[in-house]
PDB file of all heavy atoms in Angstrom:
ATOM      1  N   LEU A 224      91.763 116.284  92.618  1.00 85.00           N
ATOM      2  CA  LEU A 224      92.646 117.513  92.489  1.00 85.00           C
ATOM      3  C   LEU A 224      91.950 118.648  91.847  1.00 85.00           C
ATOM      4  O   LEU A 224      92.184 119.811  92.212  1.00 85.00           O
ATOM      5  CB  LEU A 224      93.856 117.026  91.701  1.00 85.00           C
ATOM      6  CG  LEU A 224      94.762 115.949  92.371  1.00 85.00           C
ATOM      7  CD1 LEU A 224      95.867 115.443  91.322  1.00 85.00           C
ATOM      8  CD2 LEU A 224      95.407 116.423  93.596  1.00 85.00           C
ATOM      9  N   GLU A 225      91.232 118.356  90.827  1.00 88.00           N
ATOM     10  CA  GLU A 225      90.524 119.450  90.011  1.00 88.00           C
ATOM     11  C   GLU A 225      89.445 120.143  90.961  1.00 88.00           C
ATOM     12  O   GLU A 225      89.430 121.397  90.957  1.00 88.00           O
ATOM     13  CB  GLU A 225      89.764 118.874  88.809  1.00 88.00           C
ATOM     14  CG  GLU A 225      90.725 118.327  87.716  1.00 88.00           C
ATOM     15  CD  GLU A 225      91.323 119.415  86.832  1.00 88.00           C
ATOM     16  OE1 GLU A 225      90.919 120.588  86.952  1.00 88.00           O
ATOM     17  OE2 GLU A 225      92.276 119.224  86.084  1.00 88.00           O
ATOM     18  N   LEU A 226      88.762 119.323  91.689  1.00 87.00           N
ATOM     19  CA  LEU A 226      87.737 119.910  92.604  1.00 87.00           C
ATOM     20  C   LEU A 226      88.366 120.812  93.633  1.00 87.00           C
ATOM     21  O   LEU A 226      87.946 121.905  93.881  1.00 87.00           O
ATOM     22  CB  LEU A 226      86.906 118.799  93.238  1.00 87.00           C
ATOM     23  CG  LEU A 226      86.007 118.067  92.248  1.00 87.00           C
ATOM     24  CD1 LEU A 226      85.483 116.716  92.952  1.00 87.00           C
ATOM     25  CD2 LEU A 226      84.897 118.851  91.717  1.00 87.00           C
ATOM     26  N   CYS A 227      89.446 120.360  94.183  1.00 81.00           N
ATOM     27  CA  CYS A 227      90.168 121.139  95.254  1.00 81.00           C
ATOM     28  C   CYS A 227      90.846 122.320  94.678  1.00 81.00           C
ATOM     29  O   CYS A 227      91.223 123.214  95.439  1.00 81.00           O
ATOM     30  CB  CYS A 227      91.119 120.255  96.004  1.00 81.00           C
ATOM     31  SG  CYS A 227      90.287 119.137  97.151  1.00 81.00           S
ATOM     32  N   ALA A 228      91.105 122.348  93.311  1.00 81.00           N
ATOM     33  CA  ALA A 228      91.664 123.659  92.769  1.00 81.00           C
ATOM     34  C   ALA A 228      90.568 124.579  92.391  1.00 81.00           C
ATOM     35  O   ALA A 228      90.878 125.607  91.764  1.00 81.00           O
ATOM     36  CB  ALA A 228      92.456 123.156  91.489  1.00 81.00           C
ATOM     37  N   GLY A 229      89.374 124.289  92.656  1.00 84.00           N
ATOM     38  CA  GLY A 229      88.221 125.179  92.381  1.00 84.00           C
ATOM     39  C   GLY A 229      87.435 124.990  91.122  1.00 84.00           C
ATOM     40  O   GLY A 229      86.549 125.740  90.800  1.00 84.00           O
ATOM     41  N   THR A 230      87.784 123.889  90.340  1.00 90.00           N
ATOM     42  CA  THR A 230      87.029 123.632  89.141  1.00 90.00           C
ATOM     43  C   THR A 230      85.648 123.118  89.540  1.00 90.00           C
ATOM     44  O   THR A 230      85.415 122.304  90.415  1.00 90.00           O
ATOM     45  CB  THR A 230      87.730 122.482  88.312  1.00 90.00           C
ATOM     46  OG1 THR A 230      89.141 122.909  88.203  1.00 90.00           O
ATOM     47  CG2 THR A 230      87.135 122.314  86.947  1.00 90.00           C
ATOM     48  N   SER A 231      84.676 123.528  88.718  1.00 93.00           N
ATOM     49  CA  SER A 231      83.325 123.165  88.956  1.00 93.00           C
ATOM     50  C   SER A 231      83.041 121.609  88.689  1.00 93.00           C
ATOM     51  O   SER A 231      84.007 121.043  87.974  1.00 93.00           O
ATOM     52  CB  SER A 231      82.314 123.917  88.097  1.00 93.00           C
ATOM     53  OG  SER A 231      82.398 123.549  86.665  1.00 93.00           O
ATOM     54  N   VAL A 232      82.038 121.080  89.152  1.00 94.00           N
ATOM     55  CA  VAL A 232      81.737 119.694  88.923  1.00 94.00           C
ATOM     56  C   VAL A 232      81.535 119.410  87.403  1.00 94.00           C
ATOM     57  O   VAL A 232      82.136 118.383  86.903  1.00 94.00           O
ATOM     58  CB  VAL A 232      80.499 119.276  89.718  1.00 94.00           C
ATOM     59  CG1 VAL A 232      80.082 117.843  89.318  1.00 94.00           C
ATOM     60  CG2 VAL A 232      80.745 119.306  91.247  1.00 94.00           C
ATOM     61  N   THR A 233      80.801 120.332  86.743  1.00 95.00           N
ATOM     62  CA  THR A 233      80.559 120.130  85.307  1.00 95.00           C
ATOM     63  C   THR A 233      81.914 120.200  84.562  1.00 95.00           C
ATOM     64  O   THR A 233      82.168 119.372  83.582  1.00 95.00           O
ATOM     65  CB  THR A 233      79.607 121.225  84.814  1.00 95.00           C
ATOM     66  OG1 THR A 233      78.366 121.002  85.434  1.00 95.00           O
ATOM     67  CG2 THR A 233      79.412 121.015  83.295  1.00 95.00           C
ATOM     68  N   ASP A 234      82.758 121.245  84.824  1.00 95.00           N
ATOM     69  CA  ASP A 234      84.002 121.365  84.106  1.00 95.00           C
ATOM     70  C   ASP A 234      84.915 120.251  84.361  1.00 95.00           C
ATOM     71  O   ASP A 234      85.694 119.786  83.469  1.00 95.00           O
ATOM     72  CB  ASP A 234      84.644 122.653  84.455  1.00 95.00           C
ATOM     73  CG  ASP A 234      83.881 123.937  83.872  1.00 95.00           C
ATOM     74  OD1 ASP A 234      83.111 123.666  82.956  1.00 95.00           O
ATOM     75  OD2 ASP A 234      84.253 125.052  84.227  1.00 95.00           O
ATOM     76  N   THR A 235      84.911 119.681  85.589  1.00 95.00           N
ATOM     77  CA  THR A 235      85.805 118.607  85.948  1.00 95.00           C
ATOM     78  C   THR A 235      85.307 117.332  85.180  1.00 95.00           C
ATOM     79  O   THR A 235      86.219 116.595  84.572  1.00 95.00           O
ATOM     80  CB  THR A 235      85.656 118.293  87.539  1.00 95.00           C
ATOM     81  OG1 THR A 235      86.151 119.417  88.212  1.00 95.00           O
ATOM     82  CG2 THR A 235      86.455 117.010  87.804  1.00 95.00           C
ATOM     83  N   ALA A 236      84.031 117.158  85.067  1.00 95.00           N
ATOM     84  CA  ALA A 236      83.555 115.997  84.264  1.00 95.00           C
ATOM     85  C   ALA A 236      83.954 116.131  82.868  1.00 95.00           C
ATOM     86  O   ALA A 236      84.495 115.132  82.194  1.00 95.00           O
ATOM     87  CB  ALA A 236      82.052 115.908  84.428  1.00 95.00           C
ATOM     88  N   MET A 237      83.854 117.280  82.273  1.00 95.00           N
ATOM     89  CA  MET A 237      84.254 117.404  80.818  1.00 95.00           C
ATOM     90  C   MET A 237      85.674 117.332  80.656  1.00 95.00           C
ATOM     91  O   MET A 237      86.161 116.758  79.660  1.00 95.00           O
ATOM     92  CB  MET A 237      83.714 118.862  80.345  1.00 95.00           C
ATOM     93  CG  MET A 237      82.184 118.977  80.353  1.00 95.00           C
ATOM     94  SD  MET A 237      81.304 117.818  79.332  1.00 95.00           S
ATOM     95  CE  MET A 237      80.784 116.669  80.508  1.00 95.00           C
ATOM     96  N   ARG A 238      86.535 117.819  81.486  1.00 94.00           N
ATOM     97  CA  ARG A 238      87.911 117.856  81.380  1.00 94.00           C
ATOM     98  C   ARG A 238      88.590 116.378  81.549  1.00 94.00           C
ATOM     99  O   ARG A 238      89.724 116.147  81.043  1.00 94.00           O
ATOM    100  CB  ARG A 238      88.602 118.857  82.346  1.00 94.00           C
ATOM    101  CG  ARG A 238      88.335 120.200  82.027  1.00 94.00           C
ATOM    102  CD  ARG A 238      88.681 121.280  83.133  1.00 94.00           C
ATOM    103  NE  ARG A 238      90.123 121.283  83.433  1.00 94.00           N
ATOM    104  CZ  ARG A 238      90.706 122.326  84.056  1.00 94.00           C
ATOM    105  NH1 ARG A 238      89.955 123.181  84.670  1.00 94.00           N
ATOM    106  NH2 ARG A 238      92.053 122.334  84.310  1.00 94.00           N
ATOM    107  N   LEU A 239      87.824 115.587  82.180  1.00 95.00           N
ATOM    108  CA  LEU A 239      88.405 114.254  82.521  1.00 95.00           C
ATOM    109  C   LEU A 239      87.792 113.159  81.674  1.00 95.00           C
ATOM    110  O   LEU A 239      87.994 111.918  82.012  1.00 95.00           O
ATOM    111  CB  LEU A 239      88.288 114.054  84.016  1.00 95.00           C
ATOM    112  CG  LEU A 239      89.404 114.814  84.778  1.00 95.00           C
ATOM    113  CD1 LEU A 239      89.208 114.637  86.269  1.00 95.00           C
ATOM    114  CD2 LEU A 239      90.804 114.302  84.450  1.00 95.00           C
ATOM    115  N   GLY A 240      86.960 113.501  80.662  1.00 93.00           N
ATOM    116  CA  GLY A 240      86.478 112.522  79.721  1.00 93.00           C
ATOM    117  C   GLY A 240      85.156 111.918  79.940  1.00 93.00           C
ATOM    118  O   GLY A 240      84.797 110.916  79.215  1.00 93.00           O
ATOM    119  N   TRP A 241      84.386 112.368  80.853  1.00 94.00           N
ATOM    120  CA  TRP A 241      83.064 111.792  81.060  1.00 94.00           C
ATOM    121  C   TRP A 241      82.126 112.396  80.026  1.00 94.00           C
ATOM    122  O   TRP A 241      82.279 113.553  79.676  1.00 94.00           O
ATOM    123  CB  TRP A 241      82.564 112.034  82.452  1.00 94.00           C
ATOM    124  CG  TRP A 241      82.872 111.005  83.421  1.00 94.00           C
ATOM    125  CD1 TRP A 241      82.207 109.863  83.644  1.00 94.00           C
ATOM    126  CD2 TRP A 241      84.016 111.062  84.298  1.00 94.00           C
ATOM    127  NE1 TRP A 241      82.843 109.083  84.671  1.00 94.00           N
ATOM    128  CE2 TRP A 241      83.967 109.767  85.065  1.00 94.00           C
ATOM    129  CE3 TRP A 241      85.008 111.840  84.632  1.00 94.00           C
ATOM    130  CZ2 TRP A 241      84.851 109.398  86.059  1.00 94.00           C
ATOM    131  CZ3 TRP A 241      86.013 111.549  85.611  1.00 94.00           C
ATOM    132  CH2 TRP A 241      85.916 110.319  86.290  1.00 94.00           C
ATOM    133  N   ALA A 242      81.144 111.660  79.619  1.00 91.00           N
ATOM    134  CA  ALA A 242      80.246 112.087  78.583  1.00 91.00           C
ATOM    135  C   ALA A 242      79.324 113.183  79.062  1.00 91.00           C
ATOM    136  O   ALA A 242      78.880 113.984  78.306  1.00 91.00           O
ATOM    137  CB  ALA A 242      79.396 110.948  78.039  1.00 91.00           C
ATOM    138  N   ASN A 243      78.983 113.114  80.303  1.00 94.00           N
ATOM    139  CA  ASN A 243      78.135 114.199  81.022  1.00 94.00           C
ATOM    140  C   ASN A 243      78.405 114.196  82.493  1.00 94.00           C
ATOM    141  O   ASN A 243      78.936 113.310  83.075  1.00 94.00           O
ATOM    142  CB  ASN A 243      76.652 113.811  80.686  1.00 94.00           C
ATOM    143  CG  ASN A 243      76.227 112.426  81.130  1.00 94.00           C
ATOM    144  OD1 ASN A 243      76.255 112.100  82.218  1.00 94.00           O
ATOM    145  ND2 ASN A 243      76.034 111.541  80.061  1.00 94.00           N
ATOM    146  N   PRO A 244      77.991 115.357  83.155  1.00 94.00           N
ATOM    147  CA  PRO A 244      78.101 115.456  84.517  1.00 94.00           C
ATOM    148  C   PRO A 244      77.564 114.353  85.431  1.00 94.00           C
ATOM    149  O   PRO A 244      78.036 113.888  86.447  1.00 94.00           O
ATOM    150  CB  PRO A 244      77.614 116.778  84.929  1.00 94.00           C
ATOM    151  CG  PRO A 244      77.697 117.548  83.618  1.00 94.00           C
ATOM    152  CD  PRO A 244      77.374 116.524  82.541  1.00 94.00           C
ATOM    153  N   SER A 245      76.323 113.859  84.981  1.00 95.00           N
ATOM    154  CA  SER A 245      75.720 112.844  85.831  1.00 95.00           C
ATOM    155  C   SER A 245      76.497 111.608  85.860  1.00 95.00           C
ATOM    156  O   SER A 245      76.419 110.929  86.916  1.00 95.00           O
ATOM    157  CB  SER A 245      74.259 112.655  85.274  1.00 95.00           C
ATOM    158  OG  SER A 245      74.214 112.103  83.956  1.00 95.00           O
ATOM    159  N   SER A 246      77.000 111.115  84.755  1.00 95.00           N
ATOM    160  CA  SER A 246      77.832 109.896  84.801  1.00 95.00           C
ATOM    161  C   SER A 246      79.089 110.122  85.730  1.00 95.00           C
ATOM    162  O   SER A 246      79.556 109.216  86.426  1.00 95.00           O
ATOM    163  CB  SER A 246      78.217 109.476  83.329  1.00 95.00           C
ATOM    164  OG  SER A 246      78.955 110.443  82.725  1.00 95.00           O
ATOM    165  N   PHE A 247      79.655 111.326  85.682  1.00 96.00           N
ATOM    166  CA  PHE A 247      80.818 111.579  86.556  1.00 96.00           C
ATOM    167  C   PHE A 247      80.411 111.546  88.012  1.00 96.00           C
ATOM    168  O   PHE A 247      81.072 110.904  88.853  1.00 96.00           O
ATOM    169  CB  PHE A 247      81.355 112.938  86.194  1.00 96.00           C
ATOM    170  CG  PHE A 247      82.317 113.512  87.232  1.00 96.00           C
ATOM    171  CD1 PHE A 247      83.393 112.775  87.630  1.00 96.00           C
ATOM    172  CD2 PHE A 247      82.017 114.732  87.847  1.00 96.00           C
ATOM    173  CE1 PHE A 247      84.242 113.315  88.647  1.00 96.00           C
ATOM    174  CE2 PHE A 247      82.908 115.282  88.844  1.00 96.00           C
ATOM    175  CZ  PHE A 247      84.021 114.557  89.213  1.00 96.00           C
TER     176      PHE A 247
END
Side-chain angles (χ1 to χ4, degrees):
L224 297 171
E225 292 283 346
L226 293 167
C227 285
T230 308
S231 71
V232 171
T233 297
D234 287 347
T235 296
M237 297 298 101
R238 289 168 67 165
L239 287 170
W241 271 277
N243 54 68
S245 61
S246 60
F247 164 58

